[in-house]
Amino acid sequence: MSGVGISFGADRIYDVLNTLGLYPKEAITTTQLLFINFGEAETTYSLPCVAKAREAGIRTEIYPDSAKMKKQMSYANAKEIPFVVLAGEEEMAANKFTLKNMQTGEQVTLTSEALIQTVAMHQQH
């Protein structure tokens, strides 16, 4: 039996919910740490740190695609995610990550272990 279907992309649904202020509050409080997606190599580099953060009990996600940085940061703001991780060429070369506190705007470059400790300490307060 044939049928006709339609699908809206997750990005588009997010944009509409965000614009209308309808993003569900329970979704806003879930993620504590968001890894910005700069591309395939950066994602591969970040995945072990994502796994370690989750093992440490930190609710962590990685943005699903390498959208523009502004869009990914807007997503973090809309969901009130307290920390964002940036891992680009410089961080990869130094085997580190840049952790941005979304409330203060402060950025520090850390090892994965120090990054997880910093976020874990913050979640206890």
Side-chain angles (χ1 to χ4, degrees), residues 90-122:
E90 287 179 31
E91 288 84 0
M92 289 169 56
N95 199 26
K96 297 206 174 168
F97 297 87
T98 296
L99 179 67
K100 179 173 182 163
N101 181 320
M102 294 297 284
Q103 283 133 0
T104 66
E106 180 187 358
Q107 289 188 184
V108 288
T109 302
L110 306 162
T111 63
S112 61
E113 291 80 13
L115 181 152
I116 291 164
Q117 283 180 332
T118 301
V119 176
M121 276 183 7
H122 184 272

Side-chain angles (χ1 to χ4, degrees), residues 10-120:
D11 284 352
R12 180 72 183 125
I13 291 169
Y14 160 75
D15 288 342
V16 170
L17 287 173
N18 197 29
T19 302
L20 297 176
L22 297 174
Y23 214 82
K25 260 301 186 208
E26 58 276 5
I28 288 173
T29 57
T30 57
T31 302
Q32 298 164 301
L33 184 62
L34 173 71
F35 281 73
I36 297 297
N37 187 332
F38 288 110
E40 199 172 320
E42 293 85 350
T43 297
T44 300
Y45 172 79
S46 296
L47 285 175
C49 189
V50 170
K52 285 180 193 172
R54 288 176 177 160
E55 286 170 18
I58 299 166
R59 292 183 304 274
T60 306
E61 69 178 279
I62 191 161
Y63 198 82
D65 59 39
S66 57
K68 290 182 179 163
M69 174 85 152
K70 183 177 179 185
K71 182 174 194 137
Q72 295 185 56
M73 293 303 246
S74 293
Y75 172 82
N77 281 327
K79 287 188 71 177
E80 297 178 13
I81 298 171
F83 291 100
V84 167
V85 178
L86 306 143
E89 289 179 22
E90 287 179 31
E91 288 84 0
M92 289 169 56
N95 199 26
K96 297 206 174 168
F97 297 87
T98 296
L99 179 67
K100 179 173 182 163
N101 181 320
M102 294 297 284
Q103 283 133 0
T104 66
E106 180 187 358
Q107 289 188 184
V108 288
T109 302
L110 306 162
T111 63
S112 61
E113 291 80 13
L115 181 152
I116 291 164
Q117 283 180 332
T118 301
V119 176

